[in-house]
Amino acid sequence: MEIQLWWLLALPAFFGLGWIAARIDLKHLLSESRALPKSYFKGLNFLMNEQPDKAIEAFVDVIKVEPQTVELHFALGSLFRRRGEVTRAIRMHQSLLERNDLEEEQKLYTLYEIAQDYLKAGLLDRAEESFVKLEGTQYAEPSLKFLLEIYQQEKDWMKAVDTARQLARLSGQSHQKEIANFYCELASQEMMNSRVMDARIHLEDALTVHRRCVRSNVLLGDLEAGQGNFEEAVSAWKRIESQSPEHLAIVAEKMLNAYMRLEKLEEGQRLLKGYLENYPSIEILNVLFDAELKSQGVESAYHLVRDELRKHPSLIGLDRLLEAQLMEAPIERKRDLELIKNLVHQQAASLSQYRCDTCGFNAKQYYWHCPACGGWETYPPRQTEEREK
Ligand SMILES: [Zn+2]
């Protein structure tokens, strides 16, 4: 009768502590339940009453009396880490590692746990060291994922490339997009240090790994433009059309500047108008509007934006149209127009953002690497206004 009552109490708690439930051998527990200290059941009671702090203290008491309970150490260690008590988690796992009665599998699991504690505590060197030791074990795949996270945090892109390759081999999943981006990061670093040749090699590597790596052509164009090779820069950016035409929007302004430096502004405008026709984009419209305003004047800029608005209505387009109208408006209409334009402008500005497809983070600038969720190429190159139609 007494045992049945225990079970009534214990079962819901096992569900609550799913992790424990998965690991504790119930038969074994049943046979030994009489031997368990009272604190154990006190702990379960506290868990059921949603008092995790008191439950933890009760379980800590169990460990003091019954230091052999390895599984309980594991459960508590991971509980501490999840609750942000990383120092306690590390202490608990460290004490397990110092024991010599642990089975090989338990030792590996402790190492895997303490590596995660170090990572959570920001002790990246120690975390890296522990995860590396788990190569070739059953924890190799999740460890490689953590290592990849560490190398990205440390911006150690070469190690990130190696780790992603290992992970791809082990999991059978493609990591080509990430690897290509790591090469692009390496290229950017070399470009910042004016090591043009090394940057070129990394960009070629990026394209070898991932033929559709738009970013490598964006960077190659930047590299050529930085060297004054504007023809080559334009050629690199033009190649984006065959990879992902909607990304042309993010190089439109650079392209037009390059054409300007080549004194071929009209040719550049013609090219961008073609792009706008085939791949409608607010970004390209904006660039063309400014160029048209400077080179042909208000009238021409007004027609450009009005024609585009008819085909693809957008608030940002309307904002530019009002801007053109305002320039030409007689004094008596200026105040009214200004009022309308300000209202439209505020709305348009709040909508002209890029949004991460994975986590929904909004940003004014375009990111290849989401600052919020760490995803690569998760931002479509279109601003939210265009995407929500
Ligand atoms: Zn994100």
Short mmCIF file of all heavy atoms in Angstrom, two decimals, residues 227-256:
data_model
loop_
_atom_site.label_atom_id
_atom_site.label_comp_id
_atom_site.label_asym_id
_atom_site.label_seq_id
_atom_site.Cartn_x
_atom_site.Cartn_y
_atom_site.Cartn_z
N GLN A 227 40.01 48.60 -56.14
CA GLN A 227 41.28 48.66 -56.88
C GLN A 227 41.18 49.61 -58.07
O GLN A 227 42.12 49.72 -58.84
CB GLN A 227 41.63 47.27 -57.42
CG GLN A 227 41.83 46.21 -56.38
CD GLN A 227 43.14 46.41 -55.64
OE1 GLN A 227 43.14 46.89 -54.51
NE2 GLN A 227 44.25 46.10 -56.27
N GLY A 228 40.00 50.20 -58.24
CA GLY A 228 39.80 51.10 -59.38
C GLY A 228 39.42 50.38 -60.66
O GLY A 228 39.34 50.99 -61.73
N ASN A 229 39.19 49.04 -60.57
CA ASN A 229 38.81 48.27 -61.78
C ASN A 229 37.28 48.27 -61.92
O ASN A 229 36.64 47.25 -61.60
CB ASN A 229 39.32 46.83 -61.69
CG ASN A 229 40.79 46.76 -61.38
OD1 ASN A 229 41.56 47.62 -61.80
ND2 ASN A 229 41.18 45.75 -60.64
N PHE A 230 36.72 49.35 -62.38
CA PHE A 230 35.25 49.46 -62.36
C PHE A 230 34.57 48.54 -63.37
O PHE A 230 33.48 48.05 -63.12
CB PHE A 230 34.83 50.92 -62.53
CG PHE A 230 35.28 51.77 -61.37
CD1 PHE A 230 36.35 52.65 -61.50
CD2 PHE A 230 34.67 51.64 -60.14
CE1 PHE A 230 36.79 53.39 -60.42
CE2 PHE A 230 35.11 52.38 -59.05
CZ PHE A 230 36.17 53.26 -59.19
N GLU A 231 35.23 48.31 -64.52
CA GLU A 231 34.64 47.38 -65.52
C GLU A 231 34.49 45.99 -64.88
O GLU A 231 33.43 45.35 -64.99
CB GLU A 231 35.54 47.25 -66.75
CG GLU A 231 35.65 48.50 -67.62
CD GLU A 231 34.50 48.65 -68.60
OE1 GLU A 231 33.57 47.81 -68.56
OE2 GLU A 231 34.53 49.62 -69.39
N GLU A 232 35.56 45.54 -64.23
CA GLU A 232 35.55 44.21 -63.61
C GLU A 232 34.53 44.15 -62.47
O GLU A 232 33.88 43.13 -62.27
CB GLU A 232 36.94 43.82 -63.08
CG GLU A 232 37.95 43.46 -64.13
CD GLU A 232 38.59 44.69 -64.80
OE1 GLU A 232 38.20 45.84 -64.45
OE2 GLU A 232 39.44 44.50 -65.67
N ALA A 233 34.43 45.27 -61.75
CA ALA A 233 33.46 45.32 -60.64
C ALA A 233 32.05 45.12 -61.18
O ALA A 233 31.29 44.29 -60.67
CB ALA A 233 33.56 46.66 -59.92
N VAL A 234 31.73 45.86 -62.25
CA VAL A 234 30.39 45.74 -62.84
C VAL A 234 30.15 44.30 -63.32
O VAL A 234 29.08 43.75 -63.11
CB VAL A 234 30.22 46.77 -63.98
CG1 VAL A 234 28.97 46.47 -64.78
CG2 VAL A 234 30.15 48.19 -63.42
N SER A 235 31.19 43.70 -63.96
CA SER A 235 31.02 42.32 -64.46
C SER A 235 30.68 41.37 -63.31
O SER A 235 29.82 40.50 -63.44
CB SER A 235 32.30 41.79 -65.11
OG SER A 235 32.72 42.66 -66.09
N ALA A 236 31.39 41.54 -62.17
CA ALA A 236 31.13 40.65 -61.02
C ALA A 236 29.70 40.83 -60.53
O ALA A 236 28.98 39.86 -60.30
CB ALA A 236 32.11 40.95 -59.90
N TRP A 237 29.27 42.08 -60.38
CA TRP A 237 27.92 42.33 -59.87
C TRP A 237 26.85 41.84 -60.85
O TRP A 237 25.80 41.37 -60.44
CB TRP A 237 27.73 43.83 -59.56
CG TRP A 237 28.53 44.27 -58.36
CD1 TRP A 237 28.76 43.53 -57.25
CD2 TRP A 237 29.20 45.52 -58.17
NE1 TRP A 237 29.52 44.25 -56.36
CE2 TRP A 237 29.80 45.47 -56.89
CE3 TRP A 237 29.35 46.67 -58.94
CZ2 TRP A 237 30.55 46.54 -56.37
CZ3 TRP A 237 30.08 47.74 -58.42
CH2 TRP A 237 30.67 47.66 -57.15
N LYS A 238 27.18 41.97 -62.17
CA LYS A 238 26.20 41.51 -63.17
C LYS A 238 25.94 40.01 -63.05
O LYS A 238 24.86 39.52 -63.37
CB LYS A 238 26.70 41.81 -64.59
CG LYS A 238 26.35 43.19 -65.11
CD LYS A 238 26.83 43.28 -66.54
CE LYS A 238 26.53 44.62 -67.15
NZ LYS A 238 27.16 44.74 -68.47
N ARG A 239 26.97 39.28 -62.62
CA ARG A 239 26.82 37.82 -62.51
C ARG A 239 25.75 37.42 -61.48
O ARG A 239 25.25 36.30 -61.49
CB ARG A 239 28.17 37.17 -62.16
CG ARG A 239 29.13 37.15 -63.35
CD ARG A 239 30.23 36.12 -63.14
NE ARG A 239 31.20 36.53 -62.15
CZ ARG A 239 32.28 37.29 -62.42
NH1 ARG A 239 32.50 37.73 -63.65
NH2 ARG A 239 33.12 37.60 -61.46
N ILE A 240 25.41 38.35 -60.60
CA ILE A 240 24.39 38.05 -59.58
C ILE A 240 23.05 37.73 -60.24
O ILE A 240 22.27 36.95 -59.72
CB ILE A 240 24.26 39.25 -58.60
CG1 ILE A 240 25.56 39.38 -57.81
CG2 ILE A 240 23.08 39.09 -57.67
CD1 ILE A 240 25.67 40.65 -57.01
N GLU A 241 22.83 38.33 -61.42
CA GLU A 241 21.55 38.10 -62.11
C GLU A 241 21.31 36.61 -62.35
O GLU A 241 20.18 36.13 -62.23
CB GLU A 241 21.51 38.86 -63.44
CG GLU A 241 20.12 38.83 -64.07
CD GLU A 241 20.05 39.59 -65.38
OE1 GLU A 241 21.08 40.06 -65.87
OE2 GLU A 241 18.93 39.69 -65.92
N SER A 242 22.40 35.87 -62.67
CA SER A 242 22.22 34.44 -62.96
C SER A 242 22.16 33.61 -61.66
O SER A 242 21.81 32.43 -61.69
CB SER A 242 23.34 33.93 -63.86
OG SER A 242 24.56 34.03 -63.15
N GLN A 243 22.55 34.22 -60.55
CA GLN A 243 22.52 33.48 -59.28
C GLN A 243 21.21 33.69 -58.53
O GLN A 243 20.55 32.74 -58.11
CB GLN A 243 23.67 33.94 -58.37
CG GLN A 243 25.05 33.60 -58.89
CD GLN A 243 26.11 34.13 -57.96
OE1 GLN A 243 26.11 35.31 -57.62
NE2 GLN A 243 27.01 33.27 -57.54
N SER A 244 20.87 34.97 -58.34
CA SER A 244 19.66 35.31 -57.60
C SER A 244 19.29 36.76 -57.94
O SER A 244 19.76 37.69 -57.28
CB SER A 244 19.92 35.16 -56.09
OG SER A 244 18.89 35.77 -55.38
N PRO A 245 18.49 36.94 -59.03
CA PRO A 245 18.25 38.31 -59.52
C PRO A 245 17.72 39.28 -58.46
O PRO A 245 18.02 40.47 -58.54
CB PRO A 245 17.21 38.10 -60.64
CG PRO A 245 16.87 36.67 -60.66
CD PRO A 245 17.81 35.92 -59.81
N GLU A 246 17.00 38.77 -57.46
CA GLU A 246 16.46 39.74 -56.50
C GLU A 246 17.57 40.38 -55.64
O GLU A 246 17.36 41.45 -55.08
CB GLU A 246 15.35 39.13 -55.64
CG GLU A 246 15.74 37.97 -54.80
CD GLU A 246 14.59 37.56 -53.85
OE1 GLU A 246 13.47 38.10 -53.99
OE2 GLU A 246 14.84 36.72 -52.99
N HIS A 247 18.74 39.74 -55.60
CA HIS A 247 19.86 40.34 -54.87
C HIS A 247 20.50 41.51 -55.63
O HIS A 247 21.36 42.19 -55.07
CB HIS A 247 20.93 39.29 -54.55
CG HIS A 247 20.63 38.47 -53.34
ND1 HIS A 247 19.90 37.31 -53.40
CD2 HIS A 247 20.91 38.66 -52.02
CE1 HIS A 247 19.77 36.81 -52.18
NE2 HIS A 247 20.37 37.60 -51.33
N LEU A 248 20.11 41.71 -56.90
CA LEU A 248 20.64 42.86 -57.65
C LEU A 248 20.33 44.16 -56.91
O LEU A 248 21.06 45.14 -57.00
CB LEU A 248 20.03 42.90 -59.05
CG LEU A 248 20.58 41.86 -60.03
CD1 LEU A 248 19.71 41.81 -61.27
CD2 LEU A 248 22.03 42.16 -60.40
N ALA A 249 19.20 44.13 -56.16
CA ALA A 249 18.79 45.34 -55.44
C ALA A 249 19.88 45.84 -54.50
O ALA A 249 20.04 47.05 -54.32
CB ALA A 249 17.51 45.03 -54.64
N ILE A 250 20.63 44.90 -53.89
CA ILE A 250 21.60 45.36 -52.90
C ILE A 250 22.91 45.87 -53.53
O ILE A 250 23.74 46.42 -52.82
CB ILE A 250 21.90 44.28 -51.81
CG1 ILE A 250 22.36 42.98 -52.44
CG2 ILE A 250 20.72 44.05 -50.90
CD1 ILE A 250 22.76 41.93 -51.43
N VAL A 251 23.07 45.68 -54.84
CA VAL A 251 24.27 46.25 -55.48
C VAL A 251 23.93 47.38 -56.45
O VAL A 251 24.82 47.94 -57.08
CB VAL A 251 25.13 45.18 -56.21
CG1 VAL A 251 25.78 44.23 -55.23
CG2 VAL A 251 24.30 44.41 -57.23
N ALA A 252 22.63 47.71 -56.55
CA ALA A 252 22.19 48.70 -57.56
C ALA A 252 22.95 50.02 -57.41
O ALA A 252 23.46 50.57 -58.41
CB ALA A 252 20.68 48.93 -57.42
N GLU A 253 23.06 50.51 -56.19
CA GLU A 253 23.70 51.81 -55.99
C GLU A 253 25.20 51.75 -56.33
O GLU A 253 25.73 52.63 -57.01
CB GLU A 253 23.50 52.24 -54.53
CG GLU A 253 23.88 53.69 -54.32
CD GLU A 253 23.56 54.21 -52.93
OE1 GLU A 253 23.02 53.40 -52.11
OE2 GLU A 253 23.85 55.36 -52.66
N LYS A 254 25.83 50.65 -55.90
CA LYS A 254 27.26 50.49 -56.19
C LYS A 254 27.49 50.44 -57.70
O LYS A 254 28.46 50.98 -58.23
CB LYS A 254 27.78 49.19 -55.58
CG LYS A 254 27.78 49.14 -54.08
CD LYS A 254 28.24 47.76 -53.65
CE LYS A 254 28.16 47.60 -52.14
NZ LYS A 254 28.58 46.27 -51.72
N MET A 255 26.59 49.72 -58.39
CA MET A 255 26.73 49.57 -59.84
C MET A 255 26.68 50.93 -60.52
O MET A 255 27.50 51.26 -61.37
CB MET A 255 25.61 48.69 -60.39
CG MET A 255 25.90 47.23 -60.32
SD MET A 255 24.54 46.31 -61.03
CE MET A 255 25.38 45.35 -62.26
N LEU A 256 25.69 51.72 -60.09
CA LEU A 256 25.52 53.03 -60.74
C LEU A 256 26.74 53.92 -60.47
O LEU A 256 27.20 54.64 -61.36
CB LEU A 256 24.23 53.69 -60.23
CG LEU A 256 23.61 54.63 -61.24
CD1 LEU A 256 23.20 53.92 -62.51
CD2 LEU A 256 22.40 55.35 -60.64
#
